[in-house]
Amino acid sequence: MHDSDREHEQSLLAAAALGSLDPSDLAALEQLLNTSPTARAELQQLRETVALLPYAAAPATPPAHVRARLMERIAADQAQRAPVARPASSRRAGWLAPAMVAVLAVVVLFLGGLTLSLQGQVATLAETNQQLLAAVSDLRQTMAASEAQQAQLAAQLTRSEQQIARLNEQIAHERLLVSFVSAPGVATRELRPAKANLAARGEMYMYPGESQAVVVFSGLPPLQPDRVYRFWLSDGVQRIAAGTFQVDAAGLATLVVNAPREVNAFTEVMVTVEPATDAAPGEVEVILTGTL
């Protein structure tokens, strides 16, 4: 193999691992992977390395002004995007356009920063947990503390362990989101506002033939505690509820969709605002819609 051919293969594998492969190069990548076990092994190693990059730095919480600046940039981008009617063939395009790649980069950076922050919280809680264990051990050995103090420390230890478990679950969730939306070959579909005065949107990332998808929302207003956002899938005959979610103060949220069959078997998606429980009164309002 010539050096130039080898360099081209390395470029293809690196771009695929980073999720920045040009659509025109997809056929070349698939041919390479089908004919070369070595290339498949190299791509797997590169993906594992890229997945570890967000955790190479020490855990740190992003400053408040950085988050504010990011939200301002997202809001400015949405303000500049005027609704433009697109032909059906364009709406069904599965590859990410340059603008979608930019949005994806912002999402990955945001999720990576959030994961680092959660790791820092887990480390702090783990240290506190060890201190509590040592304190409980000393109390049991010396019997100097009262039963009430031991019960209080034991309760605090239980709460700490539960919080660590929740944070570990959230870290696993954020890692799944990062790996899903940044993987090569992912298709995206856009959810647009059902009302002209709503500056909100959704980006749905999916793989043909897979039942799982990820949806990233921005610009949605926070709801009252008795209301929730609900995500729906429709095949033209049946409408299926595929999860509920709330947004943070900045109007951002992510949702992992687990459909009863492959996602591309459905033709439409939508987001509604509904009562949190069936017993609670309130109207159902359609907020976002999209086609698959």
Side-chain angles (χ1 to χ4, degrees):
M1 179 182 295
H2 296 294
D3 291 342
S4 59
D5 294 336
R6 181 58 180 167
E7 291 177 359
H8 179 63
E9 289 184 2
Q10 292 294 323
S11 299
L12 285 176
L13 295 175
L18 291 171
S20 60
L21 185 68
D22 191 281
S24 62
D25 291 330
L26 182 60
L29 175 65
E30 292 179 348
Q31 181 179 4
L32 175 61
L33 296 179
N34 290 334
T35 58
S36 174
T38 301
R40 292 196 296 271
E42 289 182 5
L43 178 58
Q44 180 62 30
Q45 292 177 354
L46 287 171
R47 285 176 172 171
E48 292 175 355
T49 301
V50 169
L52 294 174
L53 290 179
Y55 314 106
T61 301
H65 72 275
V66 174
R67 178 184 174 88
R69 189 175 302 167
L70 175 60
M71 295 303 103
E72 290 174 0
R73 291 182 62 185
I74 293 176
D77 177 69
Q78 292 175 345
Q80 293 175 0
R81 288 170 61 93
V84 178
R86 296 180 298 173
S89 61
S90 175
R91 290 196 301 270
R92 294 180 179 273
W95 299 107
L96 296 176
M100 305 298 289
V101 174
V103 172
L104 176 59
V106 172
V107 171
V108 172
L109 289 175
F110 171 75
L111 294 176
L114 181 58
T115 300
L116 291 177
S117 176
L118 291 173
Q119 283 186 309
Q121 295 180 46
V122 169
T124 301
L125 287 171
E127 182 179 355
T128 302
N129 191 26
Q130 292 298 322
Q131 295 173 353
L132 290 171
L133 285 172
V136 171
S137 177
D138 291 340
L139 287 173
R140 290 174 177 173
Q141 290 177 2
T142 62
M143 299 300 292
S146 65
E147 292 183 1
Q149 289 175 318
Q150 292 186 33
Q152 183 179 6
L153 285 172
Q156 186 177 355
L157 175 61
T158 299
R159 290 193 297 270
S160 177
E161 290 174 341
Q162 292 173 347
Q163 189 172 2
I164 288 175
R166 288 194 298 270
L167 288 173
N168 280 327
E169 290 177 359
Q170 190 170 355
I171 287 175
H173 177 77
E174 299 300 336
R175 286 177 175 173
L176 171 64
L177 296 181
V178 172
S179 62
F180 195 97
V181 303
S182 62
V186 64
T188 183
R189 297 292 184 269
E190 184 176 13
L191 281 73
R192 293 181 174 273
K195 294 183 177 180
N197 61 348
L198 180 63
R201 64 180 294 181
E203 298 291 342
M204 183 172 179
Y205 302 91
M206 57 186 241
Y207 290 94
E210 296 291 336
S211 62
Q212 192 174 67
V214 170
V215 190
V216 180
F217 300 97
S218 62
L220 289 172
L223 300 177
Q224 296 297 325
D226 61 339
R227 308 280 284 176
V228 295
Y229 289 106
R230 190 179 301 276
F231 187 83
W232 296 88
L233 295 165
S234 174
D235 58 6
V237 177
Q238 184 181 20
R239 194 174 70 170
I240 299 173
T244 61
F245 63 94
Q246 294 283 3
V247 300
D248 60 16
L252 298 175
T254 56
L255 176 67
V256 176
V257 176
N258 291 295
R261 57 185 184 275
E262 61 270 22
V263 176
N264 56 296
F266 297 91
T267 58
E268 296 178 308
V269 294
M270 69 176 62
V271 174
T272 59
V273 175
E274 303 183 15
T277 62
D278 294 338
E283 297 180 352
V284 176
E285 181 181 8
V286 177
I287 298 296
L288 297 173
T289 60
T291 58
L292 302 183

